[in-house]
């Protein structure tokens, strides 16, 4: 784009010079001659000024730390000029990358700054997909008065913001296998809501989040899922981001993981959350505030192909989010939620599509 503008500006300047030269030849007017001389010398003078002040320029970019999808966020660019001459026409090429989806785009902004002063300008940026937006530039172009003699100045500036995923209601009914222990049944009673010790009649004071609503509706009485002692951190939720896929699919998986996690917390079940990047990241989630705090890190970037999954051995049950079954050995205690074309569910593999993720995962029973 800049090359095209330079060529058009150069052609316009050349046309003006030829026109003034022709008028000067026909009229012999000193005023026309003066205009011709100015037209010839101004680009050279402007180029020299730009060359002299280029090292005295400083650029910074800033924006909010997070924003919502399809919502314009204001980016502030500040140009400071420490030179003795004004920088009248400064063009800044901006590169934007979504580190989660891999999307890239470029555009250009124009700035100016007087001698020993600074100027700020604001422009709007938005994204249809969640993920971390990295905004940066590594150079600017100082243009002469006519716009065809650019001077390159190396200026580095960057800023980041996280576009958060939209969350939708997801009703998740976890039905883990009854816990078994060699230490005796009485020793298995506890507070681990992801493992059921036994089903019994609801008693006043019991946590209503442990009511088995489906069975209660069938038996016409409240049935309560009594928690067991935890063998370990029993529920693991994994988002495998190692396989490259479309921006639409990455965005859908981010919404699916966040929403299903919220649905599980609504059932009163804590869990370990893991996602793959350069290495697996894990954190223990017990409430909604902890989930909301970790979501910006969860959707920050895509995963590396050589990252390894955590071991599933120490968990009673696992929910795996991805686009395909992992190369690692499959386990019967793992429920696979795969983003793809098929929406069929077979008890262990649950499919959802980017277009229908909200409907496909609105109610889950596993």
């Amino acid at each position: 784009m800049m090359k095209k503008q330079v060529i058009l500006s150069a052609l316009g300047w050349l046309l003006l010079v030829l026109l003034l030269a022709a008028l000067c030849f026909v009229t012999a007017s000193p005023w026309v001659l003066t205009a011709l001389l100015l037209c010839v010398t101004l680009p050279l003078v402007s180029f020299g000024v730009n060359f002299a002040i280029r090292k005295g320029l400083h650029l910074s970019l800033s924006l909010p730390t997070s924003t919502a999808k399809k919502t314009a966020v204001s980016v502030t660019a500040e140009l400071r000029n420490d030179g003795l001459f004004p920088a009248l026409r400064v063009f800044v090429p901006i590169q934007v990358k979504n580190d989660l989806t891999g999307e890239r785009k470029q555009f250009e902004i124009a700035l100016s700054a007087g001698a020993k002063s600074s100027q700020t300008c604001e422009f709007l940026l938005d994204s249809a997909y969640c993920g971390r937006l990295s905004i940066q530039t590594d150079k600017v172009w100082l243009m002469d008065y006519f716009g065809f003699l650019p001077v390159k100045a190396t200026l580095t500036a960057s800023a980041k913001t996280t576009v958060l995923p939209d969350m939708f209601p997801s009703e998740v009914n976890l039905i883990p296998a009854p816990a078994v222990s060699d230490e005796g049944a009485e020793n298995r009673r506890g507070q681990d809501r992801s493992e059921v010790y036994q089903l019994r009649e609801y008693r006043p004071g019991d946590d209503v989040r442990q009511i088995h609503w489906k069975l209660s509706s069938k038996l016409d009485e409240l049935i309560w899922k009594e928690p067991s002692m935890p063998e370990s951190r029993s529920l693991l939720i994994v988002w495998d981001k190692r396989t490259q896929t479309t921006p639409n699919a990455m965005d859908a998986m981010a919404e699916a993981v966040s929403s299903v996690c919220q649905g599980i917390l609504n059932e009163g079940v804590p869990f370990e959350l893991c996602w793959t990047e350069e290495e697996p990241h894990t954190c223990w989630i017990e409430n909604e505030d902890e989930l909301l705090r970790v979501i910006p890190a969860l959707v920050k970037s895509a995963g590396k192909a050589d990252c390894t999954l955590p071991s599933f051995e120490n968990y009673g049950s696992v929910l795996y989010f991805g686009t395909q079954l992992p190369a690692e050995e499959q386990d019967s205690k793992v429920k696979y939620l795969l983003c793809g074309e098929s929406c069929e569910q077979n008890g262990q593999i649950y499919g959802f599509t980017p277009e229908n993720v909200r409907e496909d995962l609105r109610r889950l029973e596993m």
Side-chain angles (χ1 to χ4, degrees):
M1 179 63 72
M2 176 169 285
K3 184 181 293 186
K4 182 179 179 181
Q5 292 176 349
V6 168
I7 293 174
L8 291 176
S9 297
L11 291 175
W13 172 82
L14 181 60
L15 181 62
L16 179 61
V17 168
L18 292 176
L19 178 61
L20 290 174
L23 287 174
C24 185
F25 178 78
V26 171
T27 64
S29 168
W31 297 107
V32 176
L33 178 61
T34 302
L36 177 61
L37 293 175
L38 286 174
C39 188
V40 172
T41 57
L42 275 178
L44 299 176
V45 172
S46 179
F47 178 84
V49 169
N50 289 337
F51 190 82
I53 67 173
R54 73 189 192 284
K55 292 185 178 180
L57 297 178
H58 306 274
L59 181 68
S60 64
L61 299 170
S62 61
L63 71 169
T65 56
S66 63
T67 185
K69 292 197 308 181
K70 301 178 183 178
T71 300
V73 61
S74 178
V75 185
T76 301
E78 180 180 13
L79 178 68
R80 190 176 84 247
N81 179 14
D82 294 336
L84 299 176
F85 300 97
L88 298 181
R89 303 180 68 194
V90 180
F91 293 90
V92 184
I94 301 288
Q95 298 90 38
V96 182
K97 180 187 176 184
N98 188 317
D99 295 329
L100 177 67
T101 65
E103 293 174 286
R104 296 175 183 268
K105 62 181 178 180
Q106 296 184 352
F107 56 92
E108 194 175 76
I109 61 173
L111 294 168
S112 64
K116 299 290 184 179
S117 66
S118 62
Q119 185 210 39
T120 61
C121 81
E122 293 186 355
F123 58 93
L124 298 179
L125 187 68
D126 64 1
S127 175
Y129 302 118
C130 64
R132 184 179 65 183
L133 295 185
S134 298
I135 307 165
Q136 64 179 20
T137 184
D138 54 10
K139 62 179 176 294
V140 300
W141 296 96
L142 288 77
M143 301 300 295
D144 65 284
Y145 296 120
F146 287 92
F148 66 93
L149 293 177
V151 174
K152 179 182 176 181
T154 302
L155 290 182
T156 301
S158 63
K160 301 179 188 296
T161 187
T162 301
V163 182
L164 301 175
D166 295 336
M167 297 173 67
F168 55 86
S170 179
E171 181 183 331
V172 184
N173 185 20
L174 296 173
I175 310 177
V180 178
S181 173
D182 294 334
E183 300 174 359
E186 280 298 318
N187 292 332
R188 293 304 300 167
R189 286 189 174 93
Q191 300 299 320
D192 185 0
R193 297 189 183 95
S194 66
E195 294 288 347
V196 175
Y197 164 66
Q198 67 176 358
L199 298 175
R200 61 167 173 81
E201 185 180 349
Y202 174 80
R203 301 167 188 164
D206 288 339
D207 190 341
V208 296
R209 293 175 298 183
Q210 287 295 104
I211 294 176
H212 196 309
W213 292 107
K214 272 197 171 179
L215 188 57
S216 298
S217 63
K218 291 179 180 179
L219 300 179
D220 202 22
E221 63 175 332
L222 292 179
I223 302 300
W224 196 66
K225 299 179 290 186
E226 184 171 356
S228 71
M229 284 289 291
E231 296 176 357
S232 62
R233 293 184 169 182
S234 295
L235 176 60
L236 173 66
I237 300 177
V238 180
W239 182 12
D240 188 353
K241 299 191 282 184
R242 296 176 299 177
T243 303
Q244 295 294 321
T245 185
T246 64
N248 203 23
M250 289 298 287
D251 181 75
M253 284 192 289
E255 291 193 354
V257 175
S258 303
S259 301
V260 170
C261 285
Q262 177 68 76
I264 292 173
L265 289 175
N266 290 341
E267 292 295 311
V269 179
F271 53 84
E272 189 104 55
L273 178 61
C274 173
W275 63 95
T276 58
E277 290 178 359
E278 292 186 358
E279 58 185 22
H281 295 266
T282 59
C283 58
W284 182 246
I285 306 294
E286 292 186 332
N287 54 59
E288 182 179 1
D289 289 340
E290 292 177 350
L291 175 63
L292 294 178
R293 280 196 295 268
V294 82
I295 281 178
L298 175 71
V299 304
K300 182 176 70 173
S301 63
K304 300 294 185 181
D306 57 354
C307 181
T308 58
L309 291 177
S311 173
F312 296 163
E313 290 183 2
N314 296 326
Y315 298 93
S317 55
V318 179
L319 300 185
Y320 172 95
F321 287 84
T323 56
Q324 61 188 32
L325 294 174
E328 292 82 353
E329 184 177 352
Q330 297 179 33
D331 194 321
S332 59
K333 68 182 175 183
V334 182
K335 307 297 183 183
Y336 299 93
L337 292 92
L338 303 182
C339 181
E341 297 180 1
S342 174
C343 293
E344 296 181 3
Q345 301 182 2
N346 64 10
Q348 187 175 12
I349 300 176
Y350 298 77
F352 62 94
T353 64
E355 295 76 18
N356 298 319
V357 58
R358 293 171 178 253
E359 181 61 29
D360 294 337
L361 301 184
R362 183 175 60 88
R363 182 175 289 106
L364 290 171
E365 184 171 310
M366 355 180 142

